[in-house]
Amino acid sequence: MEQHKTSGSNASSSQKTLLKIRLTLLFFIVALALSGLTAFPLRWELELLTTWFGEGTTLGTLIPGLGRWVERVHEGLEFNAKHYPFMSYGTDWLAFAHIVIAIAFWGPFRDPVRNIWVIEFGMICCILVFPLAFICGSVRQIPLGWQLIDCSFGFLGIIPLILIHRWTRNLEREKQKEFPPDLEQT
């Protein structure tokens, strides 16, 4: 009878762990897809940023260099849109990649233990944000402050993935206690 009680509490613990994993994954999936979708309306977004942070605005004056940078990016984007609209096709593919990667996390949502490799892949991607931002950012003359903002996506992204990874390992152990492997088959 004691073993039955323990088995029931393991099942309850497993369900709670699975719920935590799924809710955090859902947040991560939505955030990843939304961050990708923001690549489509870049001109509109830059127009807003210029209004809020551009040169001469209160916020643009409070944060040195930000106003000039926002104005420069806005000018470059508008120039490309007018003379080289095909350049925006790159950001369309960026948006698409975010959405596709978000879809890949549906596997761990359904079965986190079996698809833990997707979580590990996501963690590696978050780490790779740093060298990409610093190397390509320097080559493309992106200000260091903006490179750090880009790095924040890798830093903030890895936090829920580390939690999900830890919880998935716990779930795996809980399920092994609940359904121990048959010793006679070894």
Side-chain angles (χ1 to χ4, degrees), residues 32-33 35-42 85-102:
L32 186 59
S35 71
L37 291 172
T38 64
F40 286 121
L42 279 181
F86 54 86
M87 295 298 289
S88 294
Y89 194 51
T91 54
D92 295 341
W93 280 104
L94 172 71
F96 176 75
H98 274 76
I99 295 164
V100 169
I101 293 168

mmCIF file of all heavy atoms in Angstrom, residues 32-33 35-42 85-102:
data_model
loop_
_atom_site.group_PDB
_atom_site.id
_atom_site.type_symbol
_atom_site.label_atom_id
_atom_site.label_comp_id
_atom_site.label_asym_id
_atom_site.label_seq_id
_atom_site.Cartn_x
_atom_site.Cartn_y
_atom_site.Cartn_z
ATOM 1 N N LEU A 32 9.538 33.673 -29.187
ATOM 2 C CA LEU A 32 10.400 33.458 -30.351
ATOM 3 C C LEU A 32 9.675 33.805 -31.645
ATOM 4 O O LEU A 32 10.217 34.497 -32.512
ATOM 5 C CB LEU A 32 10.887 32.006 -30.374
ATOM 6 C CG LEU A 32 11.915 31.629 -31.429
ATOM 7 C CD1 LEU A 32 13.170 32.469 -31.296
ATOM 8 C CD2 LEU A 32 12.259 30.144 -31.287
ATOM 9 N N ALA A 33 8.437 33.351 -31.775
ATOM 10 C CA ALA A 33 7.652 33.657 -32.985
ATOM 11 C C ALA A 33 7.379 35.157 -33.087
ATOM 12 O O ALA A 33 7.522 35.745 -34.169
ATOM 13 C CB ALA A 33 6.347 32.865 -32.981
ATOM 14 N N SER A 35 9.120 37.624 -31.800
ATOM 15 C CA SER A 35 10.351 38.354 -32.120
ATOM 16 C C SER A 35 10.671 38.224 -33.609
ATOM 17 O O SER A 35 11.202 39.160 -34.212
ATOM 18 C CB SER A 35 11.518 37.878 -31.258
ATOM 19 O OG SER A 35 11.948 36.595 -31.626
ATOM 20 N N GLY A 36 10.338 37.097 -34.197
ATOM 21 C CA GLY A 36 10.526 36.941 -35.636
ATOM 22 C C GLY A 36 9.551 37.782 -36.434
ATOM 23 O O GLY A 36 9.918 38.421 -37.423
ATOM 24 N N LEU A 37 8.307 37.807 -35.991
ATOM 25 C CA LEU A 37 7.296 38.587 -36.708
ATOM 26 C C LEU A 37 7.611 40.075 -36.731
ATOM 27 O O LEU A 37 7.191 40.780 -37.643
ATOM 28 C CB LEU A 37 5.911 38.342 -36.100
ATOM 29 C CG LEU A 37 5.334 36.943 -36.330
ATOM 30 C CD1 LEU A 37 4.056 36.748 -35.522
ATOM 31 C CD2 LEU A 37 5.087 36.689 -37.806
ATOM 32 N N THR A 38 8.377 40.540 -35.745
ATOM 33 C CA THR A 38 8.737 41.967 -35.732
ATOM 34 C C THR A 38 9.667 42.335 -36.882
ATOM 35 O O THR A 38 9.875 43.522 -37.143
ATOM 36 C CB THR A 38 9.403 42.378 -34.402
ATOM 37 O OG1 THR A 38 10.650 41.689 -34.254
ATOM 38 C CG2 THR A 38 8.484 42.135 -33.222
ATOM 39 N N ALA A 39 10.231 41.346 -37.567
ATOM 40 C CA ALA A 39 11.110 41.650 -38.706
ATOM 41 C C ALA A 39 10.313 42.067 -39.942
ATOM 42 O O ALA A 39 10.872 42.672 -40.852
ATOM 43 C CB ALA A 39 11.987 40.437 -39.030
ATOM 44 N N PHE A 40 9.026 41.780 -39.990
ATOM 45 C CA PHE A 40 8.225 42.163 -41.164
ATOM 46 C C PHE A 40 7.934 43.673 -41.225
ATOM 47 O O PHE A 40 8.185 44.292 -42.248
ATOM 48 C CB PHE A 40 6.918 41.368 -41.231
ATOM 49 C CG PHE A 40 7.103 39.930 -41.645
ATOM 50 C CD1 PHE A 40 6.696 38.897 -40.824
ATOM 51 C CD2 PHE A 40 7.668 39.601 -42.871
ATOM 52 C CE1 PHE A 40 6.845 37.571 -41.199
ATOM 53 C CE2 PHE A 40 7.839 38.277 -43.262
ATOM 54 C CZ PHE A 40 7.429 37.255 -42.421
ATOM 55 N N PRO A 41 7.425 44.282 -40.156
ATOM 56 C CA PRO A 41 7.077 45.714 -40.253
ATOM 57 C C PRO A 41 8.222 46.649 -39.838
ATOM 58 O O PRO A 41 8.012 47.613 -39.096
ATOM 59 C CB PRO A 41 5.887 45.836 -39.296
ATOM 60 C CG PRO A 41 6.201 44.850 -38.221
ATOM 61 C CD PRO A 41 6.893 43.691 -38.929
ATOM 62 N N LEU A 42 9.438 46.392 -40.316
ATOM 63 C CA LEU A 42 10.587 47.175 -39.863
ATOM 64 C C LEU A 42 10.446 48.677 -40.125
ATOM 65 O O LEU A 42 10.814 49.488 -39.275
ATOM 66 C CB LEU A 42 11.871 46.670 -40.529
ATOM 67 C CG LEU A 42 12.511 45.440 -39.907
ATOM 68 C CD1 LEU A 42 13.786 45.077 -40.657
ATOM 69 C CD2 LEU A 42 12.795 45.630 -38.441
ATOM 70 N N PRO A 85 14.455 47.545 -52.700
ATOM 71 C CA PRO A 85 13.454 46.877 -51.854
ATOM 72 C C PRO A 85 13.735 45.385 -51.642
ATOM 73 O O PRO A 85 13.312 44.822 -50.627
ATOM 74 C CB PRO A 85 12.139 47.095 -52.603
ATOM 75 C CG PRO A 85 12.529 47.433 -54.000
ATOM 76 C CD PRO A 85 13.882 48.066 -53.932
ATOM 77 N N PHE A 86 14.490 44.787 -52.538
ATOM 78 C CA PHE A 86 14.799 43.365 -52.406
ATOM 79 C C PHE A 86 15.674 43.083 -51.183
ATOM 80 O O PHE A 86 15.742 41.953 -50.716
ATOM 81 C CB PHE A 86 15.484 42.832 -53.667
ATOM 82 C CG PHE A 86 16.704 43.610 -54.081
ATOM 83 C CD1 PHE A 86 17.948 43.326 -53.538
ATOM 84 C CD2 PHE A 86 16.597 44.634 -54.999
ATOM 85 C CE1 PHE A 86 19.060 44.044 -53.912
ATOM 86 C CE2 PHE A 86 17.704 45.359 -55.381
ATOM 87 C CZ PHE A 86 18.948 45.070 -54.832
ATOM 88 N N MET A 87 16.330 44.097 -50.629
ATOM 89 C CA MET A 87 17.158 43.900 -49.437
ATOM 90 C C MET A 87 16.303 43.472 -48.239
ATOM 91 O O MET A 87 16.778 42.761 -47.359
ATOM 92 C CB MET A 87 17.948 45.170 -49.097
ATOM 93 C CG MET A 87 18.980 45.558 -50.142
ATOM 94 S SD MET A 87 20.254 44.317 -50.379
ATOM 95 C CE MET A 87 21.156 44.483 -48.864
ATOM 96 N N SER A 88 15.061 43.883 -48.223
ATOM 97 C CA SER A 88 14.164 43.500 -47.122
ATOM 98 C C SER A 88 13.825 42.017 -47.151
ATOM 99 O O SER A 88 13.324 41.470 -46.161
ATOM 100 C CB SER A 88 12.876 44.327 -47.170
ATOM 101 O OG SER A 88 13.176 45.671 -46.917
ATOM 102 N N TYR A 89 14.093 41.378 -48.271
ATOM 103 C CA TYR A 89 13.841 39.946 -48.375
ATOM 104 C C TYR A 89 14.665 39.173 -47.331
ATOM 105 O O TYR A 89 14.228 38.146 -46.820
ATOM 106 C CB TYR A 89 14.185 39.495 -49.788
ATOM 107 C CG TYR A 89 13.686 38.138 -50.197
ATOM 108 C CD1 TYR A 89 12.354 37.777 -50.023
ATOM 109 C CD2 TYR A 89 14.544 37.223 -50.790
ATOM 110 C CE1 TYR A 89 11.901 36.532 -50.423
ATOM 111 C CE2 TYR A 89 14.092 35.985 -51.199
ATOM 112 C CZ TYR A 89 12.781 35.642 -51.009
ATOM 113 O OH TYR A 89 12.338 34.411 -51.409
ATOM 114 N N GLY A 90 15.837 39.691 -46.980
ATOM 115 C CA GLY A 90 16.665 39.059 -45.953
ATOM 116 C C GLY A 90 15.979 39.041 -44.596
ATOM 117 O O GLY A 90 16.032 38.046 -43.873
ATOM 118 N N THR A 91 15.323 40.144 -44.255
ATOM 119 C CA THR A 91 14.625 40.174 -42.965
ATOM 120 C C THR A 91 13.340 39.346 -43.018
ATOM 121 O O THR A 91 12.892 38.859 -41.984
ATOM 122 C CB THR A 91 14.322 41.620 -42.520
ATOM 123 O OG1 THR A 91 13.618 42.302 -43.538
ATOM 124 C CG2 THR A 91 15.602 42.367 -42.179
ATOM 125 N N ASP A 92 12.776 39.182 -44.208
ATOM 126 C CA ASP A 92 11.631 38.272 -44.338
ATOM 127 C C ASP A 92 12.063 36.846 -43.984
ATOM 128 O O ASP A 92 11.350 36.122 -43.283
ATOM 129 C CB ASP A 92 11.063 38.302 -45.759
ATOM 130 C CG ASP A 92 10.475 39.643 -46.140
ATOM 131 O OD1 ASP A 92 10.169 40.444 -45.235
ATOM 132 O OD2 ASP A 92 10.334 39.897 -47.355
ATOM 133 N N TRP A 93 13.252 36.455 -44.461
ATOM 134 C CA TRP A 93 13.769 35.131 -44.155
ATOM 135 C C TRP A 93 14.149 35.014 -42.681
ATOM 136 O O TRP A 93 14.018 33.949 -42.073
ATOM 137 C CB TRP A 93 14.966 34.779 -45.053
ATOM 138 C CG TRP A 93 14.499 34.318 -46.394
ATOM 139 C CD1 TRP A 93 14.519 35.021 -47.567
ATOM 140 C CD2 TRP A 93 13.889 33.061 -46.695
ATOM 141 N NE1 TRP A 93 13.974 34.268 -48.576
ATOM 142 C CE2 TRP A 93 13.578 33.066 -48.080
ATOM 143 C CE3 TRP A 93 13.572 31.938 -45.945
ATOM 144 C CZ2 TRP A 93 12.972 31.974 -48.712
ATOM 145 C CZ3 TRP A 93 12.972 30.852 -46.581
ATOM 146 C CH2 TRP A 93 12.681 30.886 -47.945
ATOM 147 N N LEU A 94 14.605 36.121 -42.088
ATOM 148 C CA LEU A 94 14.886 36.135 -40.651
ATOM 149 C C LEU A 94 13.609 35.840 -39.864
ATOM 150 O O LEU A 94 13.602 35.010 -38.943
ATOM 151 C CB LEU A 94 15.457 37.492 -40.238
ATOM 152 C CG LEU A 94 15.621 37.729 -38.741
ATOM 153 C CD1 LEU A 94 16.756 36.886 -38.182
ATOM 154 C CD2 LEU A 94 15.855 39.201 -38.465
ATOM 155 N N ALA A 95 12.535 36.503 -40.243
ATOM 156 C CA ALA A 95 11.241 36.269 -39.588
ATOM 157 C C ALA A 95 10.812 34.815 -39.763
ATOM 158 O O ALA A 95 10.379 34.162 -38.806
ATOM 159 C CB ALA A 95 10.185 37.212 -40.166
ATOM 160 N N PHE A 96 10.946 34.311 -40.969
ATOM 161 C CA PHE A 96 10.586 32.927 -41.266
ATOM 162 C C PHE A 96 11.393 31.962 -40.394
ATOM 163 O O PHE A 96 10.841 31.012 -39.818
ATOM 164 C CB PHE A 96 10.822 32.637 -42.752
ATOM 165 C CG PHE A 96 10.575 31.207 -43.144
ATOM 166 C CD1 PHE A 96 9.283 30.720 -43.254
ATOM 167 C CD2 PHE A 96 11.636 30.357 -43.402
ATOM 168 C CE1 PHE A 96 9.053 29.397 -43.621
ATOM 169 C CE2 PHE A 96 11.410 29.040 -43.764
ATOM 170 C CZ PHE A 96 10.119 28.560 -43.875
ATOM 171 N N ALA A 97 12.702 32.215 -40.259
ATOM 172 C CA ALA A 97 13.557 31.332 -39.451
ATOM 173 C C ALA A 97 13.103 31.307 -37.999
ATOM 174 O O ALA A 97 13.059 30.238 -37.384
ATOM 175 C CB ALA A 97 15.013 31.783 -39.552
ATOM 176 N N HIS A 98 12.748 32.457 -37.451
ATOM 177 C CA HIS A 98 12.255 32.499 -36.068
ATOM 178 C C HIS A 98 10.993 31.648 -35.917
ATOM 179 O O HIS A 98 10.850 30.905 -34.945
ATOM 180 C CB HIS A 98 11.926 33.939 -35.653
ATOM 181 C CG HIS A 98 13.089 34.699 -35.140
ATOM 182 N ND1 HIS A 98 14.066 35.202 -35.961
ATOM 183 C CD2 HIS A 98 13.417 35.062 -33.884
ATOM 184 C CE1 HIS A 98 14.946 35.847 -35.227
ATOM 185 N NE2 HIS A 98 14.585 35.771 -33.963
ATOM 186 N N ILE A 99 10.100 31.766 -36.859
ATOM 187 C CA ILE A 99 8.836 31.029 -36.799
ATOM 188 C C ILE A 99 9.087 29.524 -36.912
ATOM 189 O O ILE A 99 8.529 28.726 -36.155
ATOM 190 C CB ILE A 99 7.853 31.534 -37.876
ATOM 191 C CG1 ILE A 99 7.467 32.989 -37.562
ATOM 192 C CG2 ILE A 99 6.630 30.639 -37.974
ATOM 193 C CD1 ILE A 99 6.827 33.724 -38.721
ATOM 194 N N VAL A 100 9.966 29.134 -37.837
ATOM 195 C CA VAL A 100 10.275 27.710 -38.029
ATOM 196 C C VAL A 100 10.950 27.132 -36.788
ATOM 197 O O VAL A 100 10.613 26.032 -36.338
ATOM 198 C CB VAL A 100 11.158 27.518 -39.288
ATOM 199 C CG1 VAL A 100 11.725 26.121 -39.366
ATOM 200 C CG2 VAL A 100 10.352 27.837 -40.539
ATOM 201 N N ILE A 101 11.881 27.884 -36.205
ATOM 202 C CA ILE A 101 12.548 27.402 -34.993
ATOM 203 C C ILE A 101 11.535 27.293 -33.852
ATOM 204 O O ILE A 101 11.563 26.332 -33.073
ATOM 205 C CB ILE A 101 13.741 28.302 -34.633
ATOM 206 C CG1 ILE A 101 14.827 28.179 -35.707
ATOM 207 C CG2 ILE A 101 14.302 27.934 -33.267
ATOM 208 C CD1 ILE A 101 15.930 29.218 -35.617
ATOM 209 N N ALA A 102 10.622 28.248 -33.766
ATOM 210 C CA ALA A 102 9.573 28.181 -32.728
ATOM 211 C C ALA A 102 8.740 26.910 -32.906
ATOM 212 O O ALA A 102 8.403 26.244 -31.921
ATOM 213 C CB ALA A 102 8.694 29.426 -32.788
#
